[in-house]
Amino acid sequence: MTTPTPPDDSWSPVEDQGFIHHVGPIYVRETGDGPPWIGFRAADHHKNLNGVVQGGMLMTLADRGMGRVARMRHGGNPVATVSFSYDFLGAARIGRFIDLRPTVTKETGGLVFMQGEIFADGDMIGRAHGVWKKLKRKPV
Protein backbone atom coordinates (compact mmCIF):
# COMPACT_ATOMS: atom_id res chain seq x y z
CA MET A 1 0.00 0.00 0.00
CA THR A 2 1.41 3.41 -0.96
CA THR A 3 1.11 6.47 1.25
CA PRO A 4 -1.30 9.07 -0.16
CA THR A 5 0.68 12.17 -1.09
CA PRO A 6 -0.05 15.91 -1.23
CA PRO A 7 -0.26 17.72 -4.57
CA ASP A 8 3.20 19.33 -4.34
CA ASP A 9 6.20 19.84 -2.08
CA SER A 10 4.76 22.95 -0.37
CA TRP A 11 2.95 20.54 1.98
CA SER A 12 4.72 18.81 4.89
CA PRO A 13 3.48 15.91 7.04
CA VAL A 14 1.84 16.56 10.42
CA GLU A 15 3.39 14.38 13.11
CA ASP A 16 0.64 13.06 15.38
CA GLN A 17 0.64 9.62 17.01
CA GLY A 18 -2.91 10.03 18.34
CA PHE A 19 -6.18 9.95 16.42
CA ILE A 20 -4.74 11.62 13.30
CA HIS A 21 -2.25 8.76 12.99
CA HIS A 22 -5.21 6.43 12.39
CA VAL A 23 -7.02 8.59 9.80
CA GLY A 24 -4.08 10.32 8.10
CA PRO A 25 -1.67 11.11 6.82
CA ILE A 26 -2.43 14.81 7.19
CA TYR A 27 -0.29 17.57 5.67
CA VAL A 28 0.21 21.26 6.51
CA ARG A 29 1.02 24.16 4.21
CA GLU A 30 2.27 27.51 5.46
CA THR A 31 0.57 30.42 3.67
CA GLY A 32 2.86 33.27 4.64
CA ASP A 33 0.73 35.93 6.28
CA GLY A 34 -2.41 33.84 6.94
CA PRO A 35 -3.22 30.75 8.98
CA PRO A 36 -1.71 27.49 7.68
CA TRP A 37 -3.86 25.15 5.59
CA ILE A 38 -4.10 21.44 6.33
CA GLY A 39 -5.14 18.67 4.01
CA PHE A 40 -5.10 15.00 3.05
CA ARG A 41 -5.28 12.86 -0.06
CA ALA A 42 -8.55 10.92 0.07
CA ALA A 43 -7.74 7.21 0.16
CA ASP A 44 -9.83 4.04 0.38
CA HIS A 45 -9.78 4.08 4.19
CA HIS A 46 -11.60 7.45 4.09
CA LYS A 47 -14.63 6.30 2.10
CA ASN A 48 -18.16 5.74 3.27
CA LEU A 49 -20.79 3.31 1.92
CA ASN A 50 -21.49 5.68 -1.00
CA GLY A 51 -17.85 5.49 -2.10
CA VAL A 52 -16.97 9.11 -1.27
CA VAL A 53 -15.08 10.60 1.70
CA GLN A 54 -16.85 9.99 5.02
CA GLY A 55 -18.35 13.22 6.39
CA GLY A 56 -16.72 12.61 9.76
CA MET A 57 -13.30 12.76 8.09
CA LEU A 58 -14.12 16.15 6.59
CA MET A 59 -15.26 17.35 10.02
CA THR A 60 -12.11 15.94 11.62
CA LEU A 61 -9.96 17.86 9.14
CA ALA A 62 -11.82 21.11 9.87
CA ASP A 63 -11.77 20.67 13.66
CA ARG A 64 -8.10 19.75 13.71
CA GLY A 65 -7.06 22.49 11.30
CA MET A 66 -8.91 25.26 13.05
CA GLY A 67 -7.79 23.93 16.44
CA ARG A 68 -4.15 24.15 15.27
CA VAL A 69 -4.69 27.81 14.42
CA ALA A 70 -6.36 28.50 17.80
CA ARG A 71 -3.40 26.86 19.56
CA MET A 72 -0.98 29.03 17.56
CA ARG A 73 -2.96 32.15 18.52
CA HIS A 74 -2.69 31.05 22.18
CA GLY A 75 1.11 30.85 22.00
CA GLY A 76 1.19 27.07 21.52
CA ASN A 77 -0.78 26.52 24.72
CA PRO A 78 -3.74 24.10 24.93
CA VAL A 79 -7.16 24.91 23.52
CA ALA A 80 -10.45 23.03 23.47
CA THR A 81 -13.31 23.05 20.97
CA VAL A 82 -16.35 24.77 22.53
CA SER A 83 -18.67 24.59 19.54
CA PHE A 84 -18.36 23.33 15.99
CA SER A 85 -20.61 23.09 12.95
CA TYR A 86 -20.08 21.86 9.41
CA ASP A 87 -22.06 22.61 6.25
CA PHE A 88 -21.80 19.86 3.61
CA LEU A 89 -21.86 21.56 0.20
CA GLY A 90 -20.55 18.69 -1.93
CA ALA A 91 -18.93 15.28 -1.88
CA ALA A 92 -15.24 14.47 -2.13
CA ARG A 93 -14.21 11.57 -4.35
CA ILE A 94 -11.45 9.20 -3.39
CA GLY A 95 -8.13 10.28 -4.90
CA ARG A 96 -8.75 14.00 -4.56
CA PHE A 97 -6.70 16.25 -2.28
CA ILE A 98 -8.91 17.78 0.41
CA ASP A 99 -7.76 20.94 2.20
CA LEU A 100 -9.02 23.35 4.84
CA ARG A 101 -8.41 27.09 4.57
CA PRO A 102 -9.14 28.61 7.99
CA THR A 103 -9.81 32.23 8.97
CA VAL A 104 -9.91 33.76 12.45
CA THR A 105 -13.04 35.91 12.58
CA LYS A 106 -12.75 37.16 16.18
CA GLU A 107 -10.52 36.67 19.18
CA THR A 108 -11.03 37.59 22.82
CA GLY A 109 -8.87 37.01 25.88
CA GLY A 110 -10.32 33.53 26.30
CA LEU A 111 -11.82 32.48 22.95
CA VAL A 112 -10.91 32.15 19.27
CA PHE A 113 -13.75 32.24 16.70
CA MET A 114 -13.07 30.75 13.29
CA GLN A 115 -14.51 29.69 10.01
CA GLY A 116 -12.99 27.51 7.36
CA GLU A 117 -13.63 26.55 3.78
CA ILE A 118 -12.98 22.97 2.69
CA PHE A 119 -11.89 22.25 -0.89
CA ALA A 120 -11.44 19.10 -2.97
CA ASP A 121 -8.86 19.81 -5.68
CA GLY A 122 -9.94 23.46 -5.65
CA ASP A 123 -13.73 22.92 -5.57
CA MET A 124 -15.41 24.11 -2.36
CA ILE A 125 -17.22 21.19 -0.73
CA GLY A 126 -17.83 22.47 2.80
CA ARG A 127 -17.78 25.23 5.36
CA ALA A 128 -17.03 24.95 9.06
CA HIS A 129 -17.53 27.32 11.98
CA GLY A 130 -16.25 26.97 15.50
CA VAL A 131 -15.17 28.47 18.79
CA TRP A 132 -12.07 27.38 20.75
CA LYS A 133 -11.41 28.06 24.44
CA LYS A 134 -7.90 29.09 25.44
CA LEU A 135 -6.96 26.82 28.35
CA LYS A 136 -4.58 27.53 31.22
CA ARG A 137 -3.42 23.92 31.27
CA LYS A 138 -4.08 20.64 29.49
CA PRO A 139 -7.31 18.90 30.51
CA VAL A 140 -6.74 15.89 32.74
Side-chain angles (χ1 to χ4, degrees), residues 36-70:
W37 299 355
I38 70 165
F40 70 99
R41 174 79 58 195
D44 283 340
H45 68 279
H46 297 122
K47 70 178 157 183
N48 63 16
L49 294 175
N50 294 328
V52 296
V53 176
Q54 173 70 33
M57 182 60 194
L58 300 173
M59 294 171 72
T60 294
L61 179 73
D63 182 48
R64 182 53 62 100
M66 292 191 295
R68 285 175 61 89
V69 172

Side-chain angles (χ1 to χ4, degrees), residues 11 15 22 24 40 46 50 61 68 85 94 96 101 106 109 112 117 125-126 128-130:
W11 296 85
E15 299 299 326
H22 297 288
F40 70 99
H46 297 122
N50 294 328
L61 179 73
R68 285 175 61 89
S85 66
I94 302 306
R96 295 181 89 185
R101 302 172 190 183
K106 181 178 178 179
V112 181
E117 295 177 330
I125 60 164
H129 304 272

Side-chain angles (χ1 to χ4, degrees), residues 72-90:
M72 290 171 54
R73 296 295 284 251
H74 190 36
N77 295 307
V79 296
T81 307
V82 173
S83 68
F84 179 87
S85 66
Y86 189 98
D87 302 321
F88 294 93
L89 305 176

Side-chain angles (χ1 to χ4, degrees), residues 9-10 14 35 62 75 78:
D9 62 5
S10 67
V14 170

